[in-house]
Amino acid sequence: MKTRAALLVELRHPLEIAEIEIPALAPGQVLVKVERSGICGAQLNEIDGMKGPDKFLPHLLGHEAVGDVVEVGPGVTKVRAGDPVVMHWKVGAGIQASTPKYRWGERTVNAGWVTTFNDVSIASENRLTVLPAGANRATAPLYGCALTTAFGVISNDARLKLGESVAVIGCGGVGLPCVIAAVQGGAYPVIAVDRVQEKLEMARR
């Protein structure tokens, strides 16, 4: 079986669209048809080589998406074929599987426990969460990184206590969820700071 994917082949260069071969599923691995993927600043930094040389090139990217389970590997019990799922970087319940290796002609394409810049992807069971019935699939990828990151910032880094004030500087993809997390955590007042009026209106809503 093959899938189309966007590969990071060389740092500081555009991703290359290619068709790659999907390996057989190992224990704890799940095959997912990706419907929508977000792109995180972490991927942009990776493409730009912010951490220096990359010994895993070529490799796949992406860690926040929504899709549907196609097939499950041995030992998987958390999800089953047909389940709608959120794909995420945060470790959840289930097996921590080995990372897959795809084939691109004669080359090996490396991947992590979850990748989302491919039409069909192998993910570790513990990087998937079943999407509740009625959830908005268009915004569901945000649960894979932006929302969980923001709630982690407010609860784990800021260690917000009821009634404390919070200022969020920059109301973008993570800033706006930080506003939501601060409100839900009982902060008062919550101050949103941004130079873009539209983002401030979204923060007010």
Side-chain angles (χ1 to χ4, degrees), residues 45 60 74 80 92 94 113 124 131 141 151-152 168 193:
N45 291 340
L60 293 165
R80 58 186 179 183
W113 291 285
S124 181
L131 191 66
F151 275 76
V168 178
V193 182

Side-chain angles (χ1 to χ4, degrees), residues 55-61 99-102 108-112 115:
K55 64 181 181 180
F56 297 105
L57 296 176
H59 67 76
L60 293 165
L61 295 166
T99 55
K101 294 191 180 299
Y102 299 77
T108 296
V109 177
N110 294 299
T115 60

Side-chain angles (χ1 to χ4, degrees), residues 35-39 64-67 84-86 131-132 134-144 146-147:
E35 179 183 320
R36 300 169 189 264
S37 173
I39 182 167
E64 54 179 344
V66 65
V85 290
V86 173
L131 191 66
N136 185 341
R137 292 176 71 104
T139 57
L142 296 175
Y143 289 103
L147 286 168

Side-chain angles (χ1 to χ4, degrees), residues 27-43:
Q29 291 181 341
V30 180
L31 191 65
V32 180
K33 181 172 175 41
V34 179
E35 179 183 320
R36 300 169 189 264
S37 173
I39 182 167
C40 175
Q43 275 90 65

